[in-house]
Structure formats: structure tokens, C-alpha cells
Amino acid sequence: MTPATIALIGELALKYGPPLALKFAELFEKKDVTLADFNAVFALADKSYASYVAPKPTAT
Amino acid sequence: MNLDLAALLQSLHLPDDVVATVMHITSTLFALVMLVRTFRGPIVKSLTWAADRFDDMAGHGREDGAMLLAIVDSRIYRVIWFLTEYLFRLHLPTRASLEARWKILETHEALNSQPTEGVPLGALAGLLLLIPFLFTACGSPKLAAFRSVSAVAHTVDASMNAWGDWVRAGKATPDSEARVEAAYVKYQAAMAVVKSGVVAAEGQPADSPAYLAVPAALSAAASDLIALIDQFAPPEKR
């Protein structure tokens, strides 16, 4: 992991918190990728706008 | 912008190594300008914050002052470290990279001209624009493409989750919702193009040039979306 990558991860951690920074860190552990890896990423972008702004279900 | 520096230099019948050197230096300068612009907000914010703290600390002990200086130094060093690392690791001297950097500069000019409330607007958006350049310097084109696309997708997802919280809190106007939704749809369209490119390239070697064309348009669309969200839902108010 290069210093530039660490700096990027640091910026993201400051803005969005550790979960996203950890995701980025995981990216750099991968040495080989498959179409399934790509598809998992594409699935994120398939989420509809409505799903992001929909009311969250309350615990009962 | 129609920038054809390479053709201009070649028309002067300069040796190839001279042309390559000039292109490299020019491209490096563009990159430096772009990065300084990108991090202008955080740098100014850090220095302003430091000046305020020094005022607060008037009359306090020297240890507090030394600690504060160390914090400020670490922030500034981080930016300098990033700049240096970026400049020395990239594959710079091509006409395409020059034109891409012009486009990024223009984008940042537009971002920086938008009203902000003291937030380094565009800082993260700028990072997104840098992602294709950051990641093409490491590993195979396929791995670099995956890291770029994945970094963008996760960042947008986090940003959209924050936007969702903002909307649920009743803080978004109908107009801002419509604009963010339109930007998100545009981002999805850019991602769909990337997806079809990746699927088409599947089966080719990891160092296939087919993977090189992946992320620039995608990160630009994502950058626009995140800048819009930052504008409507300032991070310090979320």
C-alpha cells in the first residue's frame, strides 16, 4: 500500500468514518480479481435512489 | 480544450527525448496545480484552525503549543507527502493524460466556484477524480480497474447513505432531491457503461488494454454526485 493510498484512505476515514476506510484497505489486499468480484461492486450501483431515501424499518 | 502540445513540439523537429521530457514536465506541473487546487480547502482550513487555536492558547504552557504545532505539521506533511507520492508514481507524459488533467482542472474550477460554507467542497470529489490516476500505477490494468471502480462505488454508496439520512431527517428540499436523483441516475448510467466494458473484456489477460479505458467518466459522474450532496447536505451538519 503506497503512502498516496494511505492518504486517500485517511481522507475517507475522516469524512465517512472507519467502515468505508476499511473497505478501501480491503481493496488493496486483493491480488487477483474475477468477474464475480466486479459484479459484487456493480450490484452497489444497481441500488435504486428510492432505496437510499426510503424510511428505515423500525425495530419491533 | 484542444491541447496539442506534442504535435506542436514535433513540428519544431525536436528530438523525441526532448519532446518526452517537455511533455513530462508540463504534465507534472498540471498535476501539481490540480492537486494544490484540490487540497486548497483543507490547507487553508488547517492554517485557519491553527491560528484560532494559537489565539485561544495565549498564556497557556509551552507544551500545549508544541503539541498543537505537531498536529498542524502532521496535517501539512500529509498533504505534501500525498503530492510528492502522486507526482513520482504516475505515468505522466502522454497527450491523453495532459488533456485529462485539463478537463480535471476545468471541473475543479467549476466546483470551487460553487458557494460553500467553509467546507472544503470538492476535496473528496477531487480525490475521486484522482482515483483512476492513483490506481493505474499499481498492479495489472484489470486489478487497477477493479480498485478504481470499487473505490468509486463504495464512496458513492457511503455518500448516498448519508444523503438518505439527510432526506429522512426532513432536511432536503424537493429541488435538491430531484437534482441528487438525476446525478445518481447519471452515475448509474456511467457505471453501466463500465460494466458492459468489463463483461466484454472478461476472458482477456489481466494486462489487456481493454481494462485501461474503464474509470475516468465514471469517477467524473461520481464526483459530480458527491459534490452535489456536499453542497446540499454539508458534511459538518450531517
Side-chain angles (χ1 to χ4, degrees):
Chain A
M1 199 177 291
T2 68
T5 306
I6 295 168
L8 172 65
I9 290 170
E11 292 291 338
L12 292 167
L14 285 174
K15 182 157 184 179
Y16 291 111
L20 182 62
L22 286 175
K23 274 285 177 196
F24 268 64
E26 283 173 18
L27 286 179
F28 290 88
E29 299 304 315
K30 273 190 173 294
K31 300 297 178 200
D32 190 26
V33 290
T34 64
L35 187 57
D37 293 319
F38 271 106
N39 282 333
V41 171
F42 294 138
L44 278 177
D46 286 339
K47 291 165 71 174
S48 69
Y49 176 85
S51 72
Y52 282 110
V53 298
K56 286 185 175 174
T58 53
T60 54
Chain B
M1 179 175 295
N2 183 15
L3 181 70
D4 202 349
L5 183 60
L8 175 66
L9 293 172
Q10 281 160 0
S11 71
L12 298 174
H13 304 294
L14 295 170
D16 286 347
D17 57 340
V18 173
V19 173
T21 302
V22 172
M23 292 291 285
H24 184 91
I25 292 171
T26 311
S27 185
T28 303
L29 287 174
F30 282 146
L32 181 61
V33 171
M34 177 187 73
L35 284 164
V36 168
R37 287 182 178 209
T38 300
F39 288 100
R40 182 178 56 191
I43 291 170
V44 170
K45 200 174 175 185
S46 293
L47 293 176
T48 306
W49 175 83
D52 290 345
R53 295 295 85 71
F54 274 124
D55 287 345
D56 294 344
M57 285 185 172
H60 285 63
R62 287 176 60 187
E63 287 183 5
D64 289 342
M67 185 179 294
L68 176 63
L69 273 177
I71 295 170
V72 174
D73 279 353
S74 71
R75 289 184 176 200
I76 294 172
Y77 284 148
R78 188 180 61 179
V79 173
I80 294 172
W81 186 25
F82 183 93
L83 289 175
T84 309
E85 190 66 22
Y86 176 79
L87 292 176
F88 280 98
R89 283 182 180 272
L90 284 185
H91 306 291
L92 294 172
T94 66
R95 179 182 166 185
S97 71
L98 281 172
E99 290 177 341
R101 282 164 178 75
W102 268 118
K103 190 170 181 185
I104 289 169
L105 278 176
E106 288 167 354
T107 305
H108 275 276
E109 194 61 42
L111 282 175
N112 287 330
S113 67
Q114 292 175 7
T116 66
E117 298 179 30
V119 182
L121 178 65
L124 184 69
L127 283 172
L128 277 177
L129 285 165
L130 295 180
I131 278 173
F133 300 106
L134 278 173
F135 292 174
T136 49
C138 51
S140 66
K142 185 176 185 180
L143 188 58
F146 174 75
R147 286 173 172 169
S148 302
V149 173
S150 190
V152 169
H154 284 293
T155 307
V156 167
D157 186 55
S159 194
M160 285 299 291
N161 280 324
W163 175 250
D165 291 340
W166 186 263
V167 171
R168 278 187 290 276
K171 297 176 180 175
T173 65
D175 177 61
S176 64
E177 273 216 74
R179 288 179 62 185
V180 170
E181 184 174 7
Y184 182 68
V185 169
K186 190 176 168 186
Y187 156 77
Q188 284 183 306
M191 185 64 96
V193 172
V194 171
K195 184 177 180 179
S196 62
V198 168
V199 170
E202 179 61 12
Q204 297 191 33
D207 59 353
S208 166
Y211 289 104
L212 289 175
V214 169
L218 174 66
S219 48
S223 178
D224 288 347
L225 171 62
I226 290 176
L228 204 56
I229 290 174
D230 284 357
Q231 181 187 338
F232 292 133
E236 82 280 9
K237 293 184 180 176
R238 289 178 192 165

